[in-house]
Amino acid sequence: MSRHYDVDAVRKEFPAVERMVYLDAGFQTPLARPVKAAIEQFLREGFETAGPKSVWLDRVEQTRAKVARFLGVTADEIAFTKNTSESMNIAANALPLRDGDNVLMIHGDHPNNAYAFLNLQRRGVEVRFIPMTEVVNAESFRPLIDERTRAISMSHVTFHAGHRFDIASVGALCAETKLYFVVDVMQAIGVVPIDARAVGASFVGSGSHKGLLVPQGLGLLYWDKSLNELEPAYLAAASLADIPGDLIARPDRMAPSPTAGRFELGNFNLPAVHALGAALDMIEQIGVENIQSHCFDLGDHLIARLDELGVSLVGPRDRKHRAPHIYVIGLPASDWLGHFEDNGVRVSPERDGIRVSLGMFNTADDIDRLIDVISKRGQGRPSVAA
Ligand SMILES: Cc1ncc(COP(=O)(O)O)c(C=O)c1O
């Protein structure tokens, strides 16, 4: 049941979630029928005709337009990449940073974001970390800003405890203090509405294998096209404003594309891009706000049931600060993961407990089955912080 959409109908599109209690959407999505159909269409076309490449590339542009609409931006501001890590590295290396400049990040944020910037230490760039707390907003970063601070990079939603940080206030701070703002939305996208322009991001990076419902190997990068000074560290023909018609490279005609295509390299992961088009249609049909509201409701139910059991929640409890769909429960993974596996419940081990992550297909029944599996064994077992 959902107050927001027909979750039973949605659930039928994800056969895997009928075979187990799937509470691991933050790890990877189960495949939905329309997504599988898009990949199968690509395979069929390649198999039978060696591929109508122009049709395939038209689909890439249609998907780009859908991604842009989804993020509140224009299609010429969207590049396809391989994954979040590649998007964050492209962003980090496009920023005009010099020896002695500094970038602010959150300690304990996702390593695929952190390493992209830590790697700039080789160029003399300093990375300064603020502590991770339940509430991170503009005021958390402000004290560390000095005359050599050039950028802030952070996750919108944390993978390890489900914080949902106030990126709008951090974006406003970056506008006020003239910093670049880079946001990793990998855990947020597809569940939490994102308006990249309203947030004031310079770059937004993500992969697609969680809330965007497609298999691994496809990433996204939003680039604010008014920041024309941000140029790609890598170059291929498609990155150029003026691709030579005879395909003979010319050292004197290397201006980057005026679009986010400047950050794209070579051929695309076509089946995944086509699959993303189908996934975005599904998400838009339901409405990302509805998915968010549904997950919040399930989260409220989970928290209430954990309270009854006396099992703690590791991350934020308040809707204002928590992600709708990521909850870490205070049961040590080393002791509990096998028990969940044995009982057909898919969850992830995390730093401070067991991560339950929700998708558009989950129901209150899934939560109740999880709780039954905990209580079946629960009495007398250690919990992390109850
Ligand atoms: C916040 C965040 N960033 C990035 C990633 C993954 O990076 P990539 O898409 O490069 O595999 C994850 C999880 O897999 C994540 O939770």
Side-chain angles (χ1 to χ4, degrees), residues 50-122:
K53 194 163 179 193
S54 59
V55 174
W56 286 349
L57 291 177
D58 283 349
R59 275 187 218 139
V60 170
E61 296 316 312
Q62 286 160 19
T63 303
R64 194 192 301 277
K66 289 178 195 176
V67 172
R69 198 167 59 233
F70 195 60
L71 294 179
V73 300
T74 56
D76 57 356
E77 295 178 301
I78 298 295
F80 290 111
T81 65
K82 191 171 73 174
N83 48 38
T84 323
S85 307
E86 191 176 56
S87 298
M88 302 319 281
N89 273 276
I90 290 171
N93 286 284
L95 300 181
L97 302 178
R98 287 204 291 272
D99 191 359
D101 288 343
N102 66 72
V103 175
L104 308 186
M105 301 193 76
I106 305 169
H107 183 260
D109 203 343
H110 199 281
N112 290 351
N113 183 9
Y115 283 124
F117 286 88
L118 284 170
N119 198 30
L120 301 177
Q121 291 179 137
R122 295 193 302 178

Side-chain angles (χ1 to χ4, degrees), residues 9 20 59 80 85 123 133 183 227 232 283:
M20 65 190 108
R59 275 187 218 139
F80 290 111
S85 307
R123 283 164 38 192
T133 53
V183 191
L227 303 174
I283 295 168

Side-chain angles (χ1 to χ4, degrees), residues 83-85 110 112 155 157 159 184 186-187 207 209-210:
N83 48 38
T84 323
S85 307
H110 199 281
N112 290 351
S155 291
V157 164
F159 70 104
D184 171 351
M186 178 49 161
Q187 284 294 355
H209 65 272
K210 304 181 197 283

Side-chain angles (χ1 to χ4, degrees), residues 145-180:
I145 296 175
D146 65 17
E147 70 286 355
R148 295 303 301 271
T149 306
R150 298 282 176 260
I152 294 177
S153 180
M154 67 186 290
S155 291
H156 187 187
V157 164
T158 65
F159 70 104
H160 63 91
H163 310 83
R164 182 170 48 88
F165 293 137
D166 183 0
I167 55 171
S169 83
V170 181
L173 173 71
C174 288
E176 175 197 326
T177 51
K178 300 203 169 19
L179 305 183
Y180 294 107

Side-chain angles (χ1 to χ4, degrees), residues 70-363:
F70 195 60
L71 294 179
V73 300
T74 56
D76 57 356
E77 295 178 301
I78 298 295
F80 290 111
T81 65
K82 191 171 73 174
N83 48 38
T84 323
S85 307
E86 191 176 56
S87 298
M88 302 319 281
N89 273 276
I90 290 171
N93 286 284
L95 300 181
L97 302 178
R98 287 204 291 272
D99 191 359
D101 288 343
N102 66 72
V103 175
L104 308 186
M105 301 193 76
I106 305 169
H107 183 260
D109 203 343
H110 199 281
N112 290 351
N113 183 9
Y115 283 124
F117 286 88
L118 284 170
N119 198 30
L120 301 177
Q121 291 179 137
R122 295 193 302 178
R123 283 164 38 192
V125 174
E126 183 194 351
V127 180
R128 296 181 178 172
F129 290 106
I130 64 160
M132 170 98 62
T133 53
E134 291 221 341
V135 179
V136 168
N137 58 24
E139 298 320 306
S140 321
F141 286 102
R142 196 185 290 278
L144 266 78
I145 296 175
D146 65 17
E147 70 286 355
R148 295 303 301 271
T149 306
R150 298 282 176 260
I152 294 177
S153 180
M154 67 186 290
S155 291
H156 187 187
V157 164
T158 65
F159 70 104
H160 63 91
H163 310 83
R164 182 170 48 88
F165 293 137
D166 183 0
I167 55 171
S169 83
V170 181
L173 173 71
C174 288
E176 175 197 326
T177 51
K178 300 203 169 19
L179 305 183
Y180 294 107
F181 185 34
V182 183
V183 191
D184 171 351
V185 297
M186 178 49 161
Q187 284 294 355
I189 199 164
V191 181
V192 179
I194 296 162
D195 186 332
R197 195 171 327 279
V199 157
S202 314
F203 284 112
V204 170
S206 183
S208 303
H209 65 272
K210 304 181 197 283
L212 290 185
L213 312 179
V214 307
Q216 283 84 349
L218 177 64
L220 309 172
L221 181 67
Y222 157 73
W223 160 68
D224 172 352
K225 68 181 175 194
S226 71
L227 303 174
N228 193 44
E229 74 279 14
L230 303 183
E231 296 204 351
Y234 294 153
L235 215 60
S239 331
L240 299 178
D242 182 15
I243 303 171
D246 57 7
L247 293 183
I248 297 174
R250 289 190 181 73
D252 57 337
R253 278 168 47 188
M254 288 180 50
S257 166
T259 75
R262 65 174 58 190
F263 299 111
E264 288 179 338
L265 291 164
N267 279 286
F268 297 101
N269 180 350
L270 292 168
V273 178
H274 299 175
L276 180 60
L280 286 170
D281 289 345
M282 269 186 93
I283 295 168
E284 289 212 323
Q285 235 173 350
I286 301 167
V288 71
E289 282 84 3
N290 289 329
I291 297 170
Q292 169 170 258
S293 301
H294 175 64
C295 289
F296 266 135
D297 288 353
L298 294 182
D300 290 344
H301 182 58
L302 172 65
I303 292 171
R305 302 258 11 226
L306 290 173
D307 286 351
E308 282 165 24
L309 282 186
V311 174
S312 66
L313 182 76
V314 172
R317 285 176 76 91
D318 184 345
R319 276 192 183 208
K320 188 158 183 273
H321 300 301
R322 73 181 211 236
H325 56 309
I326 297 180
Y327 300 91
V328 174
I329 58 185
L331 299 173
S334 56
D335 190 45
W336 280 84
L337 194 61
H339 176 67
F340 287 121
E341 275 167 12
D342 293 347
N343 285 278
V345 177
R346 277 274 289 274
V347 286
S348 275
E350 267 310 334
R351 290 176 192 166
D352 300 311
I354 292 283
R355 184 181 70 190
V356 170
S357 54
L358 308 171
M360 56 166 74
F361 43 78
N362 284 119
T363 61

